[in-house]
Amino acid sequence: MPDSITRRPSAIANDDDKHVSYAIASEEDRCAPRCRLSIPARMRFSCSSSFAVEVTDMSLAGFACDALLATEPGTLCWLTLPGLGALEAEVVRHSNEGMGCAFKNLLNLAVLNHYVAKYPAK
């Protein structure tokens, strides 16, 4: 279930608006509720092979995973979740605890709800 948030923009919270651009959503701090989960996935950077990661946090706008590779913010990557094709994202933070990435295009709310229900946090 979503963690506590300080604000929830109506454009993001409303499932009726299916064409919210990332440009609009990214103007908000923590633009969408973040959900704790545990998804086995694959990640790939440009010109490299994919590797296994665990997605531990996800929202409509991005995700956090346990990848510990030294990666600079702004690096493009592709996340492949079970049952989905590769989703393009950009690294926004990296630390000893993993990395956080922003999706190029917002995730569909139904897709997020599916993964939250199927892969609860450990």
Side-chain angles (χ1 to χ4, degrees):
M1 292 295 111
D3 290 343
S4 62
I5 58 172
T6 56
R7 53 183 160 159
R8 184 177 177 156
S10 60
I12 302 303
N14 186 349
D15 191 27
D16 295 334
D17 187 1
K18 293 180 175 52
H19 301 290
V20 177
S21 73
Y22 185 77
I24 293 169
S26 65
E27 293 175 6
E28 296 292 333
D29 181 36
R30 304 284 178 144
C31 62
R34 298 166 56 113
C35 303
R36 299 277 180 217
L37 35 68
S38 180
I39 305 173
R42 308 252 344 139
M43 179 176 266
R44 182 180 72 79
F45 295 106
S46 294
C47 302
S48 70
S49 298
S50 67
F51 54 94
V53 296
E54 179 182 9
V55 176
T56 57
D57 182 294
M58 192 163 40
S59 74
L60 297 176
F63 64 95
C65 67
D66 63 355
L68 298 176
L69 298 172
T71 308
E72 296 295 321
T75 302
L76 292 180
C77 62
W78 287 264
L79 178 72
T80 303
L81 297 168
L84 276 184
L87 302 169
E88 186 176 349
E90 180 179 327
V91 175
V92 293
R93 70 164 180 80
H94 181 265
S95 69
N96 291 338
E97 297 173 7
M99 72 174 59
C101 301
F103 290 123
K104 179 179 179 184
N105 298 304
L106 291 175
L107 199 60
N108 182 291
L109 182 58
V111 172
L112 177 63
N113 289 340
H114 166 76
Y115 285 107
V116 169
K118 189 168 182 177
Y119 298 96
K122 291 180 181 177

